[in-house]
Amino acid sequence: MIIQRVVLNSRPGKNGVPVAENFRLEQSTIADTVQAGQVRVKTLYLSVDPYMRCRMNEDTGSDYLQPWQLSEVADGGGIGVVEESKHQNLAKGDFVTSFTWPWQTVAILDGDSLQKLLPQLVNGRLSYFLGAAGITGLTALLGIREKGHVAAGANQTMVVSGAAGACGSLAGQIGRLEGCSRVVGIAGTDEKCSILVQEMGFDAAINYKKGDVAKQLRELCPGGVDVYFDNVGGDISDAVISQMNQNSHIILCGQISQYNKDVPYPPPLPADIEKIQKERNITRERFLVLNYMDKQEASVLQLCQWIQEGKLKVR
């Protein structure tokens, strides 16, 4: 059978910005027959995520991420429908997902590597299983529960950077659902800031490309910051950390401003910001959602319930 697939054509270099030419769309073939335990799936959705920048390097800089190989098919989170099955638990028409889904139109996969999906849990919006009800939503929910120390009634203020992104937009809403009394987002356009406040229920949002972020934070978080959901790192994070309270918490989710640079993860803080962090006893621990997969099932059900109840808005 002839298929189309996307392969890694070249590497951008450790400090390079990726370009379209780093990838190549090509025709390939797969077997016409499915072996015992396998299924043939048609790809419906692929998730393209910031962590994949690290996989474009020969060394990902991480022990849990494997690099993509040159001229080999790229892979990541994906969803598809079973077209033919020789696996006892999967039938034709089932929707399935995997963290290592190949970027190709049709694939033959080991049935044991796939997870069956129930579309009714997300009101039929299958793609949500790669977002709000998938690894993105899990990262937001488990990050807040495991590293945020949010307590209902504690009058906590949460700040979210990269707040209009897939994870950030969920994190702000979940922070509110878990008990934060004030949620402030940081994003890069007036339109994004408007969506955060008008649709997602944030109390306020800062356009970091306009005006002084630190000054706006002081105005919008008069009692300081208790929880910081950090997606970006760099100067924005330095501005937030400088206004965090004693014994507050940073949820270290991502450092997207640093992904095209050859720096360790998490990147070290500037000396003056590190001093503030230590003096105020601010926690800043690396967070990896894959370490909490024992809580995956219950957490996905919680996310799906919030989606069904309209408490978690998804774009």
Side-chain angles (χ1 to χ4, degrees), residues 154-159 181-182 184 215-227 240-248 280:
N155 197 31
Q156 290 163 300
T157 293
M158 173 188 274
V159 171
S181 59
R182 186 163 180 77
V184 176
K215 180 172 178 285
Q216 292 178 77
L217 275 171
R218 280 192 295 273
E219 292 167 359
L220 294 171
C221 308
V225 178
D226 302 294
V227 185
V240 178
I241 294 168
S242 67
Q243 296 184 45
M244 293 187 75
N245 293 325
Q246 196 73 26
N247 303 319
S248 54
R280 297 182 195 168

Side-chain angles (χ1 to χ4, degrees), residues 87-282:
H87 188 276
Q88 58 184 12
N89 297 328
L90 296 172
K92 183 179 180 180
D94 283 349
F95 296 106
V96 289
T97 187
S98 164
F99 289 139
T100 55
W101 196 283
W103 286 13
Q104 57 192 56
T105 48
V106 180
I108 293 174
L109 302 175
D110 178 358
D112 288 342
S113 71
L114 301 170
Q115 187 179 351
K116 192 172 170 180
L117 299 174
L118 300 174
Q120 61 268 34
L121 289 177
V122 287
N123 302 328
R125 302 291 291 272
L126 267 178
S127 64
Y128 284 12
F129 284 117
L130 291 182
I135 203 80
T136 316
L138 286 171
T139 300
L141 177 60
L142 291 170
I144 289 166
R145 287 186 171 174
E146 299 295 329
K147 299 294 185 183
H149 303 275
V150 172
N155 197 31
Q156 290 163 300
T157 293
M158 173 188 274
V159 171
V160 183
S161 58
C167 195
S169 62
L170 297 170
Q173 296 178 79
I174 292 168
R176 168 85 77 221
L177 289 166
E178 291 287 285
C180 284
S181 59
R182 186 163 180 77
V183 179
V184 176
I186 303 173
T189 70
D190 288 343
E191 183 191 7
K192 289 178 182 179
C193 289
S194 174
I195 289 166
L196 291 175
V197 176
Q198 303 298 328
E199 293 184 27
M200 308 283 186
F202 283 62
D203 292 285
I206 295 167
N207 181 349
Y208 70 86
K209 294 178 182 175
K210 285 186 173 179
D212 185 332
V213 172
K215 180 172 178 285
Q216 292 178 77
L217 275 171
R218 280 192 295 273
E219 292 167 359
L220 294 171
C221 308
V225 178
D226 302 294
V227 185
Y228 173 39
F229 199 100
D230 185 7
N231 286 304
V232 302
D235 294 343
I236 287 173
S237 289
D238 296 347
V240 178
I241 294 168
S242 67
Q243 296 184 45
M244 293 187 75
N245 293 325
Q246 196 73 26
N247 303 319
S248 54
H249 304 283
I250 298 167
I251 301 163
L252 195 61
C253 178
Q255 301 281 279
I256 198 168
S257 70
Q258 309 297 305
Y259 286 172
N260 289 320
K261 302 173 187 174
D262 184 19
V263 293
Y265 186 87
L269 295 169
D272 56 331
I273 302 299
E274 188 178 15
K275 185 166 181 277
I276 289 171
Q277 183 210 342
K278 287 179 175 169
E279 285 175 352
R280 297 182 195 168
N281 192 35
I282 302 168

Side-chain angles (χ1 to χ4, degrees), residues 8 11 51-70 72-75:
L8 186 67
R11 300 191 190 276
Y51 79 87
M52 292 174 168
R53 171 63 186 88
C54 309
R55 299 191 68 191
M56 295 179 77
N57 294 339
E58 212 162 337
D59 177 6
T60 65
S62 172
D63 49 6
Y64 64 91
L65 281 182
Q66 295 302 309
W68 284 332
Q69 299 302 320
L70 290 172
E72 294 292 328
V73 67
D75 71 295

